[in-house]
Amino acid sequence: MGAIDGENFINRLNGLNSEIWFDGEKVEGMISEHSAFKGLIHTKASLYDLQHDPKIKNEMTFKSPISGEPIGLSYLQPKTKEDLIKRRKMFEHWARQTNGIMGRSPDYLNSVLMSFASSASFLEGKEKCFPNNLLALYEMAREKDLSFTHTFISPQVNRSQIYFENSNEEPITAKVIDENEEGIVIKGARLLATQGGLTDEVLVFSVARFLFKVDEAFAFSIPSNTKGLKFICRDTLIGGESSFDHPLSSRYEEMDSIVVFDNVLVPWDRVFYYNNVEVAEDFVTQSSFHPFAKHQVLTRQIEKTKFILGIAELLIETINISEFQHIQEKMSEIIIGLETMKALLEKSENDATLDEWGYMRPDIVPLKVASNIFPKIYPRFSEIVQISGASGMISLPTEKAFHSSIRKELDQYLQGATKTAEERVKIFRLAWDLTMSSFGTRQTQYERFFYGDPVRLSSDLYKSYPKNDYVKTVRNFLDSKAKD
């Protein structure tokens, strides 16, 4: 099939008829027209359409090694630094299309699957591991341009480090409860599948934690409409369909869901590994998952920061507050954050090296630094927009009000220094939707915990950072002074 367009994506999604529950009811009919999902689905469709835009098609696709047809560039396994840059440019096109707001654009999980396939040799010869299944899925996904969600977080029943789930009770955390000639059987739940049920496939894998039980150590991918698989959605954060009133949530609301496995049979040819704690603990960290995933994420976050900077400056111009020094200082914080992230991305590419399997990995150190920085500066960016807008972020009438008998009063009292009242309110509603609406606060929480616990991220950076050369320099200095 090769790289699909938006219409292919929507038709395929509607045809799945996955079991999705929203607001206590099972979703029926075409998912692409459901009020809670249609904004996101049509936005994603516009991403797939870019793969066929004649102006940038060569920057969005590459030639399939099997069919010779154009296929999505986010599936490219990079062998050179030039390949890395090609991938990044493709990420930029999709991120600009969504202003970096869509955290789970398809290139993220395409990159994850590509990284797993590029590291499949790690699984060779290990007990209950099937690297060929992983490679086969990657090839199928690449050639058919499949979309994925993923889930790896267990339900937050008890986060104490000494908590064990009672194996005699009905499972809460998804685990292997049986295996037979056809495959393994999974029962229980996983959390936070962003866009769960709104993709072709769900990629399920385990991430190392303090304690691992063998029946929870697995990785596989199955179609979203697999029997017994259920997606339970949270409440929608869409404020309404008006792109004037809710410019971001109406387009980019990415539903999150709980994934319930009710005796789900995972066929053997879809299992990558199972009941192997050592592999489950090591595969994600020793594979190229983190370098390639973080490379895509940082590219998106840079585009998002550019968008925030643009919103903040437009807001400042609208009410003419650019000469206040505290505003200049705050805007400089966003500029410093943007340029720092851009420099870290460039360094990760400049310092890229071939891994043991012959693939060009971006340097993980600057990417780890970026993944520690952004969760801290993004909430500050939101705060800067809020402070800059002050009370103007609150007194915001709707689009409908501008088409009513009070239009004259709105034009008089809500005008800006450089904008009409309608233009000013449109700008401020955009700033509000990014930073103060329910959609905006989810964005802040999402970026704050994108890679998990920020404290653990800092600990990992400290423990993995190559400090020995610096220590050696100090020791040599001290030794030389002692000899003097």
Side-chain angles (χ1 to χ4, degrees):
M1 178 182 290
I4 62 173
D5 62 16
E7 184 178 3
N8 292 147
F9 167 70
I10 290 174
N11 289 340
R12 198 159 69 187
L13 200 59
N14 285 331
L16 282 175
N17 196 29
S18 302
E19 185 174 351
I20 303 171
W21 288 76
F22 174 76
D23 196 23
E25 296 182 355
K26 184 178 178 181
V27 175
E28 304 287 355
M30 291 195 299
I31 193 71
S32 65
E33 297 307 314
H34 191 284
S35 60
F37 312 117
K38 67 179 180 181
L40 168 70
I41 291 172
H42 287 276
T43 297
K44 283 183 72 174
S46 74
L47 298 182
Y48 285 111
D49 282 338
L50 287 181
Q51 297 186 136
H52 298 270
D53 184 333
K55 296 179 182 178
I56 59 172
K57 185 175 181 179
N58 290 338
E59 295 183 359
M60 299 299 299
T61 61
F62 72 108
K63 187 177 293 187
S64 165
I66 296 175
S67 68
E69 294 294 318
I71 53 178
L73 218 155
S74 55
Y75 279 112
L76 176 68
Q77 295 175 295
K79 298 290 186 66
T80 65
K81 290 184 180 180
E82 289 73 22
D83 286 344
L84 272 184
I85 294 171
K86 284 180 183 179
R87 286 176 53 81
R88 188 245 301 158
K89 287 182 177 179
M90 180 266 156
F91 299 155
E92 287 172 347
H93 283 302
W94 271 2
R96 287 171 188 153
Q97 180 76 359
T98 65
N99 300 299
I101 304 294
M102 187 181 290
R104 287 291 187 265
S105 52
D107 47 331
Y108 175 71
L109 277 161
N110 293 357
S111 296
V112 170
L113 182 57
M114 181 278 293
S115 73
F116 282 178
S118 300
S119 308
S121 295
F122 176 83
L123 302 176
E124 289 181 0
K126 293 181 171 63
E127 185 179 5
K128 297 181 178 179
C129 293
F130 311 97
N132 289 337
N133 293 348
L134 178 52
L135 293 171
L137 176 74
Y138 162 71
E139 183 177 294
M140 179 178 69
R142 183 190 67 195
E143 299 302 316
K144 293 185 176 182
D145 208 0
L146 297 181
S147 60
F148 289 80
T149 185
H150 74 324
T151 181
F152 57 84
I153 300 173
S154 297
Q156 290 185 331
V157 177
N158 185 335
R159 297 191 67 195
S160 167
Q161 292 183 340
I162 60 172
Y163 169 71
F164 285 94
E165 185 178 315
N166 189 334
S167 60
N168 295 324
E169 298 176 353
E170 190 79 3
I172 299 174
T173 297
K175 60 184 62 179
V176 178
I177 62 167
D178 193 16
E179 60 179 273
N180 54 45
E181 293 180 356
E182 297 180 74
I184 59 175
V185 180
I186 307 292
K187 189 171 181 61
R190 285 284 184 87
L191 295 185
L192 212 62
T194 301
Q195 299 187 27
L198 307 178
T199 61
D200 296 295
E201 296 261 335
V202 54
L203 180 63
V204 185
F205 56 93
S206 303
V207 174
R209 61 188 187 187
F210 185 73
L211 296 170
F212 234 135
K213 297 180 70 175
V214 67
D215 53 7
E216 298 172 26
F218 49 72
F220 58 84
S221 183
I222 50 177
S224 294
N225 61 354
T226 298
K227 182 180 178 181
L229 190 61
K230 182 184 303 180
F231 300 91
I232 302 177
C233 300
R234 60 160 168 77
D235 193 7
T236 183
L237 303 180
I238 299 173
E241 293 189 6
S242 168
S243 60
F244 181 104
D245 295 341
H246 308 282
L248 299 178
S249 69
S250 63
R251 294 177 174 95
Y252 304 133
E253 152 70 321
E254 295 181 89
M255 181 59 71
D256 304 296
S257 65
I258 302 167
V259 186
V260 177
F261 300 84
D262 186 6
N263 296 307
V264 171
L265 175 67
V266 181
W268 284 120
D269 64 358
R270 288 306 200 99
V271 178
F272 312 145
Y273 59 80
Y274 78 106
N275 286 11
N276 190 321
V277 172
E278 183 178 344
V279 166
E281 289 179 340
D282 294 341
F283 183 62
V284 171
T285 56
Q286 295 191 28
S287 71
S288 54
F289 167 76
H290 285 292
F292 288 125
K294 290 177 187 287
H295 185 240
Q296 185 275 341
V297 172
L298 180 53
T299 303
R300 175 189 63 79
Q301 290 172 335
I302 287 170
E303 295 304 319
K304 190 173 189 177
T305 304
K306 292 177 184 177
F307 188 58
I308 293 170
L309 180 61
I311 290 175
E313 180 62 20
L314 187 57
L315 186 153
I316 288 165
E317 291 174 1
T318 299
I319 54 176
N320 195 22
I321 57 173
S322 63
E323 293 306 310
F324 291 113
Q325 284 192 314
H326 80 92
I327 292 294
Q328 295 168 4
E329 179 192 31
K330 290 177 175 63
M331 290 297 287
S332 292
E333 288 186 54
I334 302 178
I335 292 169
I336 290 166
L338 174 60
E339 292 302 317
T340 299
M341 302 290 279
K342 287 162 64 176
L344 290 168
L345 179 62
E346 186 172 321
K347 180 172 174 54
S348 77
E349 294 172 351
N350 289 342
D351 295 350
T353 56
L354 289 173
D355 66 17
E356 60 189 290
W357 300 298
Y359 297 104
M360 185 63 69
R361 292 191 192 186
D363 185 17
I364 192 61
V365 173
L367 296 174
K368 283 186 175 182
V369 171
S371 65
N372 273 269
I373 290 175
F374 199 72
K376 295 179 176 67
I377 62 176
Y378 185 83
R380 175 58 177 163
F381 294 164
S382 293
E383 183 181 44
I384 288 170
V385 173
Q386 293 167 358
I387 292 171
S388 300
S391 61
M393 299 287 286
I394 299 172
S395 304
L396 297 172
T398 63
E399 179 181 27
K400 188 176 180 180
F402 281 97
H403 298 279
S404 71
S405 60
I406 59 171
R407 172 69 185 253
K408 184 178 178 180
E409 284 90 343
L410 297 180
D411 287 340
Q412 175 69 13
Y413 301 124
L414 291 180
Q415 62 184 291
T418 63
K419 298 288 187 295
T420 66
E422 187 171 359
E423 291 170 335
R424 177 187 174 278
V425 170
K426 194 171 185 179
I427 292 164
F428 271 72
R429 287 201 73 96
L430 174 60
W432 166 82
D433 208 14
L434 180 67
T435 65
M436 293 178 64
S437 69
S438 56
F439 174 85
T441 54
R442 187 263 184 192
Q443 287 286 310
T444 300
Q445 193 76 342
Y446 181 80
E447 299 293 2
R448 183 182 277 131
F449 289 101
F450 189 94
Y451 280 116
D453 183 350
V455 175
R456 290 184 182 179
L457 289 177
S458 297
S459 296
D460 175 64
L461 178 61
Y462 169 71
K463 289 187 289 186
S464 63
Y465 190 81
K467 305 177 288 292
N468 290 342
D469 285 347
Y470 308 125
V471 173
K472 184 179 179 180
T473 298
V474 175
R475 284 175 175 165
N476 289 340
F477 172 79
L478 292 173
D479 289 343
S480 66
K481 289 298 180 182
K483 292 175 182 177
D484 292 344

